[in-house]
Amino acid sequence: MPKVTLNTLASRKAAGEKFTCLTAYDATVAHLLDEQGVEVLLVGDSLGMVMQGKDSTVHVSMDDIEYHTRCVSRGVKDTMIMSDMPFMSASTEEKALENATRLMQAGAEIVKIEGDRWLLPAVKTMAERGIPVCVHLGLLPQLVSILGGYKVQGRDVEQATAMIQLAKEMEQAGAVMLLLECVPSDLARELTQTVSIPVIGIGAGKDTDAQVLVTQDMLNLTPGRKAKFVRNFMEGASSVQDAVGRFVSAVKSGEYPAPEHSY
Ligand code: KIV
């Protein structure tokens, strides 16, 4: 696979070709995912649960994401690295700029930020200064206390309309990508068609431009109950490499996510 850039992802959207994203927190897994042709690796704040055994992403620090971004960057060749801005790391424009700079210098090529309306100025400031930003909409795990749990977002018309409006404003502010978590498939389809930037989905149905999963979830390593949108790609696979290859093929062919993984 040639080096993945923002242009690669924009061309995929324009051509109607799906791309893939999986989480990575270390060099070994990053290398494996890169070899299997995963276009984007997410150094997600899910590392709080997956790597650190914590009960939410709220406890993850800038030092944590910076450290794991450095680890991942040593394992990849062609894949694009996207790193999460952790809880409150963008609570002011100055903090957003300073913290995003730390992640870019650690090896990130794009930063992801869980965004509500108040983040528009920070997105604009980062974009104007050359930091590529992906805005995470829908279910925002960092705000789980306010949302009252990990629930599907945008179910009523008012919420859905507001989310599409916010997506448009984030694009206008300079966001180069969106990530949509746990929203009804119809809303995800409409939002993906409305914006011209690529949209990655998780629990958002089959019509987003790309799909992301936590790698440990799709390899069936995560203990406990799985979210509805998770498929166990180890089932029938001969190795971890084979399971990741099956995820890539299933996303590209449109076979995953199926209706049973969607809301
Ligand atoms: O932190 C993470 O892994 C994420 C994904 C669930 C999209 O944000």
Side-chain angles (χ1 to χ4, degrees):
M1 168 172 76
K3 172 69 194 151
V4 176
T5 64
L6 290 171
N7 286 344
T8 317
L9 306 181
S11 315
R12 293 279 162 83
K13 178 172 178 121
E17 291 166 11
K18 307 275 181 199
F19 63 90
T20 54
C21 177
L22 285 170
T23 58
Y25 318 110
D26 67 85
T28 307
V29 170
H31 178 76
L32 186 152
L33 301 181
D34 185 309
E35 295 253 286
Q36 293 304 315
V38 176
E39 284 91 348
V40 183
L41 298 194
L42 172 62
V43 185
D45 57 3
S46 51
L47 70 84
M49 283 94 112
V50 178
M51 303 298 288
Q52 301 172 335
K54 292 178 179 162
D55 63 357
S56 85
T57 59
V58 170
H59 314 284
V60 175
S61 68
M62 269 302 301
D63 285 349
D64 293 334
I65 301 279
E66 194 178 9
Y67 169 76
H68 286 281
T69 298
R70 286 193 200 286
C71 296
V72 166
S73 72
R74 292 186 199 109
V76 308
K77 193 162 71 62
D78 300 320
T79 300
M80 174 179 290
I81 301 175
M82 174 157 75
S83 295
D84 253 341
M85 299 279 288
F87 186 59
M88 287 305 133
S89 61
S91 55
T92 64
E93 280 172 66
E94 291 70 28
K95 277 181 83 173
L97 203 53
E98 191 180 313
N99 286 324
T101 303
R102 278 177 64 181
L103 297 183
M104 297 297 284
Q105 290 181 333
E109 294 163 286
I110 175 168
V111 297
K112 174 166 81 64
I113 191 162
E114 287 188 17
D116 212 333
R117 180 158 294 284
W118 60 273
L119 270 169
L120 280 162
V123 170
K124 188 163 188 289
T125 299
M126 288 190 279
E128 279 172 358
R129 285 155 181 79
I131 297 175
V133 183
C134 171
V135 178
H136 186 145
L137 299 173
L139 173 61
L140 308 180
Q142 291 174 9
L143 302 187
V144 70
S145 312
I146 285 180
L147 297 175
Y150 295 94
K151 295 179 183 160
V152 178
Q153 302 295 305
R155 279 208 194 268
D156 65 57
V157 177
E158 207 175 303
Q159 267 193 349
T161 310
M163 205 182 293
I164 291 178
Q165 178 58 27
L166 185 56
K168 284 195 232 169
E169 289 179 42
M170 288 295 182
E171 180 177 17
Q172 274 157 16
V176 294
M177 193 138 70
L178 299 175
L179 188 147
L180 208 47
E181 177 163 0
C182 283
V183 302
S185 308
D186 289 351
L187 167 57
R189 184 188 317 111
E190 191 180 339
L191 192 150
T192 303
Q193 288 169 355
T194 300
V195 295
S196 57
I197 52 179
V199 179
I200 302 178
I202 176 165
K206 65 174 179 43
D207 294 316
T208 52
D209 302 307
Q211 297 291 329
V212 59
L213 283 174
V214 169
T215 300
Q216 282 74 1
D217 287 350
M218 53 80 79
L219 293 179
N220 203 30
L221 294 171
T222 310
R225 218 179 115 251
K226 308 285 178 301
K228 176 182 163 108
F229 54 78
V230 175
R231 173 165 146 193
N232 172 10
F233 282 92
M234 278 307 284
E235 208 174 288
S238 58
S239 62
V240 170
Q241 283 84 346
D242 186 29
V244 173
R246 285 167 184 244
F247 167 75
V248 172
S249 307
V251 170
K252 290 189 188 283
S253 69
E255 180 213 321
Y256 174 80
E260 68 263 28
H261 306 116
S262 310
Y263 301 101

